[in-house]
């Protein structure tokens, strides 16, 4: 698992993969597969957040929140937190692209 390898930054993507492989309905698997692939474009950019320690400081509280939601069986809270993490990754990637002079990236948001 990502947190065992100090890769908290991969948690949201691991969750998407679990949904892809374990969802009981083919339509749900297809939707999450598409989402997963669409989010992967920004994967290399996410590493610009910093080193492993910086990434862990950013993502570990979010992982803790996801686990708290699961422990409380709060699926709405879990979904909201997962969306927050994924949206944050996309926003960060777009801002980095804009900072690098790729203004067209602003249409992604």
């Amino acid at each position: 698992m990502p947190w065992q390898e100090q890769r908290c930054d991969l948690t949201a993507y691991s969750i998407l993969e679990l949904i892809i492989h374990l969802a009981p309905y083919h339509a749900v698997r297809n939707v999450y597969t598409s989402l997963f692939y669409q989010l992967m474009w920004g994967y290399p950019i996410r590493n610009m957040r910093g080193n492993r320690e910086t990434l862990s400081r950013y993502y570990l509280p979010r992982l803790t929140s996801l686990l708290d939601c699961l422990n409380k069986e709060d699926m709405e809270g879990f979904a909201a937190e997962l969306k927050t993490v994924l949206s944050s990754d996309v926003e960060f990637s777009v801002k980095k692209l804009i900072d690098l002079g790729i203004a067209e990236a602003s249409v992604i948001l």
Side-chain angles (χ1 to χ4, degrees):
M1 298 312 285
W3 58 87
Q4 292 170 325
E5 297 175 20
Q6 298 181 349
R7 294 297 310 264
C8 297
D9 55 310
L10 298 178
T11 300
Y13 299 90
S14 296
I15 291 168
L16 290 178
E17 278 196 291
L18 285 172
I19 293 169
I20 290 166
H21 295 292
L22 299 176
Y25 301 107
H26 184 71
V28 172
R29 291 191 305 269
N30 282 343
V31 168
Y32 278 92
T33 298
S34 178
L35 175 63
F36 182 80
Y37 289 137
Q38 289 175 29
L39 291 170
M40 290 309 290
W41 68 267
Y43 180 77
I45 299 168
R46 288 181 316 108
N47 287 332
M48 293 179 169
R49 273 190 202 241
N51 61 25
R52 258 319 128 229
E53 185 178 313
T54 303
L55 289 170
S56 290
R57 272 196 313 268
Y58 177 79
Y59 285 102
L60 195 54
R62 286 142 188 87
L63 172 59
T64 302
S65 179
L66 286 165
L67 289 173
D68 286 344
C69 289
L70 286 176
N71 287 332
K72 295 175 187 173
E73 297 182 18
D74 176 9
M75 294 306 115
E76 287 181 27
F78 181 86
E81 186 65 31
L82 182 60
K83 179 183 176 187
T84 298
V85 172
L86 294 171
S87 295
S88 172
D89 283 353
V90 169
E91 288 173 19
F92 177 82
S93 296
V94 168
K95 287 177 184 171
K96 270 297 181 196
L97 289 172
I98 292 168
D99 290 347
L100 293 169
I102 305 171
E104 297 83 1
S106 64
V107 300
I108 295 172
L109 296 176

